[in-house]
Amino acid sequence: MWSWETAREGLPLILHGFGITLLATVFGSLLAVVLGLGIAVLRRTPSRWVTLPLRAAVEFVRSTPVMIQLFAVWVLVPGLDPLVIGIAVLGVHYATYTSEVYRAGIDAVPKGQWEAAVALSLPPVRTWFAVVLPQALRKIVPALGNYVISMFKETPFLSVITVNEMVHEANRFGSDHFAYLEAFTLAALVFLVASCPTSILMRKLEKRLAH
Amino acid sequence: MLTDESPTPTESGAAAPAVRFDQVVKRYGDNTVLDHLDLEVGRGERVTLIGPSGSGKTTILRLLMTLERVTEGVVHVDGEPFSHMPGRGGRLVPADERHLRARRRRIGMVFQHFNLFPNMKVLDNVTEAPVHVLGMDRDEAAERARGLLELVGLADKQDAHPTRLSGGQQQRVAIARALAMRPDILLLDEVTSALDPELVAGVLDVLRDIAHGTDITLLCVTHEMGFARDVSDRVLMFDGGRVVESGPPERIFGSPEHGRTREFLGAVL
Amino acid sequence: MSSYPYAFHAGEPLSGLTEFTHSLPSVGAGLWVTVQATVLGAALALLLAFVLGFMARSRRLLVRGSSRVVVEFFRGTSLYVQMFWLFFALPILGFKLVPLACAVVAFGLNYGAYGSEVVRGALDAVPRGQREAAVALSMTPWQRMRLVVLPQAWPQMIPPFNNLLIQLLKCTPLMSLITISDVTFQMDQLRSTTGDTATAYLLLLVVYFVLAYALTLAMNGLESVAKARLGQPAGGRA
């Protein structure tokens, strides 16, 4: 049964793990946001020698489990720090999502906007930075935010390659003290406490950007 | 507003008007759309509501169809309270869904944007309510629906998808769909406003046939003054949530008394 | 301690390819477990998505509020934690579920919560005029939903449901962490007996890719049928 004492004992360990979880989320998201933009831009190049293999790769990475990808990289590329592997794999996996976000956001800018930019003889740089991107961002930013939250909740997968993030620590504490109830309940609560305000914030941001 | 003196269902019978609005108020927040409106429509009477947009004409139809609730006052149909029902001690209380459902059947409505069901073929649009609401036998409902589609000139479209029809054809199906419920009162809410100009005549012809061939009570909101003149017994000019002027079409269109009416007719004619 | 206890079994490296063909039956059995968990989890999720989605549109604050709380709870706590909680923590409270049930319940709760947003959104997206026309024809609230609103909302739900289904499938390897012999577990066994890591993981990725592709094809087919019924062009996605 539940013991407050055990819970109090386990909390520091779990919070320490939470730090690693945040670290992985922040760097994983950064990678996903940058790499996703790169993929989206590359997919707009006219050469089919670029776009077709890229599309195939994106499709493959996106429809296979991140957990297997983690294993595969971990076992096949020895000598790297598991946390680095975790961030890289999560980042690449989510880049396949974010690239779609960028693409959809840019496609959603009405054709008339491009035409108006041409009619005003705006140089391409102005067209992109003054006309297209500011409008596309309204759709892009909330969607990116939702993927960051979603990645945050998938960081426990990193425990399978021995990264000592929160759930890994909870699991260890649970088995050491036979206190799985306290350990996993605490982990769940930390997730809940962290993600509820974020999703409320995201919803507000979404509403604000919608106008 | 509603006290014990409020009339309870006593005036029903042949003499009662088909529709009676009794001091009806409708507000959306601070915006008063209907301002203590009194209105009577006799059985079989054809009444047209005209007036500038935003004057509350459509709201009257929507209140009558129970798509909106009144803020104050009572709507009566066939001499019985409709928006309200007798509660404890004979007091009128706002009607519940069951009260409305039992009485709503007498009323049919045709909408500005047709609102045909895209998940059903044309014939099913017309048979759906008779089968599921009136409990009519499927074959019988289909038989009647074919007759109604013929009436609106679309007998050959019964197996088409509504989305494949022109706006005018969709609206004629919507008229057949409303008639399939055999309503005593038919509400027409700007039924030609969403149509391309060349399709308007076909729809109005169908409605003229219905007006002249049946004894249905008609309440229409329209900007088609020619149609209003042809079918109406009475025209009501609306402005600012109130009836400004009412009378037979010849008089309203021929020699309007009120300045607002003259102004409005001058702008639309 | 390794969280993945069988990841490093030093296997006897046998001649790779024959061993792979020998092990086909066990991989097949694992595949069947994966498919079962996916289907059962998705079925439970679909049920919950509709229940919670309908509740979210209720006029009663209490009903709406409880749906909101349940949805936020199961979206806010990671699927990983939920499954481990059901497997490790729940027995301590005196309820022991078989491992597959833990997995299916976790999938159902988590994706049911996400799916309820899909249901709610699609119901809200049916134009108001459609409901009004149904009122004007004197349909009961239940008839309006069954005959008019739901048939129109359903095709809207299929593409986002497909996304969730693929995500669910991609999370099923988690089952292998709670002693379930799914295809990941079986393939990992094979990897440790053959020592051919590259082949085993590549094969495993291909297996999931094929499963995901098959599910997408099926859902696209479903969407085309549903849209054709609405008289819309069947716009299946790649």
Side-chain angles (χ1 to χ4, degrees), chain A residues 1 62-65 67-68 71 74-75 93 97 153 156-157 159 167-168 180-181 184-185 188 191 195 203, chain C residues 3-4 8 68 72 75-78 80-81 84-85 88-89 92 114 170 173-174 184 197 204-205 208-209:
Chain A
M1 281 296 137
R62 205 164 53 144
S63 19
T64 50
M67 181 169 140
I68 316 285
F71 269 136
W74 186 47
V75 176
H93 192 88
Y97 295 140
K153 283 174 237 164
F157 278 114
S159 69
V167 176
H168 186 270
Y180 283 117
L181 179 62
F184 285 123
T185 306
F191 265 116
S195 69
R203 219 169 286 166
Chain C
S3 321
Y4 206 60
F8 280 115
R68 183 85 257 155
E72 286 300 334
R75 289 195 331 168
T77 55
S78 165
Y80 197 113
V81 178
F84 272 43
W85 196 94
F88 287 110
I92 299 174
Y114 281 101
K170 289 198 299 174
L174 270 180
T184 297
T197 303
L204 190 53
L205 287 171
Y208 280 105
F209 182 75

Side-chain angles (χ1 to χ4, degrees), chain B residues 2 18 70 83 99 123 128 143 195 197-198 216 245 256 259:
Chain B
L2 295 173
V70 297
S83 61
H99 177 90
L123 188 74
E128 196 68 5
E143 196 53 46
L195 297 180
E198 74 271 21
I216 200 166
E245 184 172 2

Side-chain angles (χ1 to χ4, degrees), chain B residues 16-48:
Chain B
V19 175
R20 186 160 72 83
F21 278 57
D22 181 11
Q23 291 286 300
V24 169
V25 176
K26 177 65 183 175
R27 284 191 206 99
Y28 298 99
D30 292 338
N31 182 21
T32 304
V33 184
L34 294 181
D35 186 8
H36 295 95
L37 174 77
D38 286 316
L39 172 72
E40 273 193 22
V41 179
R43 295 197 178 188
E45 195 182 11
R46 282 73 199 266
V47 173
T48 304

